[in-house]
Amino acid sequence: MEEQVISILATYEELAVVISILLNIIISILGFVPSVFLTAANIAIFGLVQGTIISLIGEVMGAVVSFILYRKGFSRFSKSKFFSHPKISRLLHASGKEAFLLILSLRIMPFMPSGVVTFIAAIGTTPFFVFVAASTVGKIPALLLEVYSVNQVIQWTWQGKVIFAAVSILLLGWLWKRIRNIELSGKSS
């Protein structure tokens, strides 16, 4: 996927920044697609500093657009029993300083699905400007960690090799667990 994005950005060089930001917005709206491949493409095309800035702008704009769309289209889901879990309910009904701190802390966590945080905040009572401020501040450290990791893998340093090996092991473990669960569910049928 990264190669295709690099190809598109290189082909449409004069629109590359706009295309990258639009792709980030689409990724944010979808809510489940990781943006790491786009961050890698941004670093490859624009360089480390400019690629990081473009990725941050895209991530923030994606969160804002997603928040607005989710709020308009899904607010009726806030009454669902699924959202009665205490931790989810806390973010759902948070406002002001509490909402800011909750969103900030969830954004800082690098493996917390961004789409979930945006969705719950959007269908809840979180004010728009609180969401934007907390998301922007919170995305900075998470994105810097992602940029560092991606850059180390691209440069193929020893840290990059460790990151690559760790991600590979985690993916293989996840895949093995999924296959095992499928086999177990097939035997019980």
Side-chain angles (χ1 to χ4, degrees):
M1 185 69 147
E2 176 187 339
E3 291 83 23
Q4 289 89 352
V5 173
I6 289 172
S7 175
I8 291 168
L9 296 178
T11 302
Y12 302 100
E13 192 174 322
E14 63 282 347
L15 295 172
V17 172
V18 174
I19 292 169
S20 174
I21 291 170
L22 287 174
L23 286 173
N24 233 320
I25 291 170
I26 292 167
I27 289 169
S28 293
I29 291 169
L30 293 174
F32 61 88
V33 178
S35 64
V36 69
F37 71 89
L38 184 54
T39 301
N42 285 341
I43 292 170
I45 292 292
F46 303 111
L48 186 63
V49 175
Q50 190 177 1
T52 301
I53 292 168
I54 292 167
S55 291
L56 179 62
I57 291 168
E59 294 252 350
V60 170
M61 289 183 69
V64 168
V65 170
S66 298
F67 182 89
I68 292 167
L69 291 175
Y70 294 169
R71 177 148 287 175
K72 289 188 181 298
F74 296 106
S75 60
R76 66 183 178 276
F77 289 111
S78 65
K79 310 292 186 263
S80 170
K81 282 192 172 199
F82 175 76
F83 298 110
S84 64
H85 187 279
K87 292 186 187 226
I88 294 174
S89 181
R90 186 171 171 208
L91 177 57
L92 195 62
H93 300 295
S95 62
K97 185 179 179 181
E98 181 186 23
F100 180 88
L101 293 173
L102 277 169
I103 293 167
L104 177 68
S105 64
L106 291 170
R107 289 288 190 224
I108 289 173
M109 296 166 61
F111 300 108
M112 171 58 68
S114 184
V116 173
V117 176
T118 302
F119 181 77
I120 294 171
I123 67 169
T125 58
T126 301
F128 175 75
F129 291 109
V130 170
F131 174 81
V132 172
S135 287
T136 302
V137 173
K139 281 185 173 287
I140 292 170
L143 183 65
L144 290 177
L145 179 63
E146 183 177 299
V147 165
Y148 173 78
S149 299
V150 165
N151 191 50
Q152 295 304 308
V153 171
I154 289 172
Q155 300 297 323
W156 202 238
T157 64
W158 71 267
Q159 293 99 330
K161 293 173 187 173
V162 169
I163 292 166
F164 186 78
V167 169
S168 297
I169 290 168
L170 289 171
L171 286 173
L172 286 172
W174 175 80
L175 184 60
W176 181 79
K177 187 175 180 179
R178 296 272 304 172
I179 290 170
R180 189 88 171 112
N181 286 342
I182 291 170
E183 288 175 353
L184 291 175
S185 66
K187 288 180 182 178
S188 63
S189 296

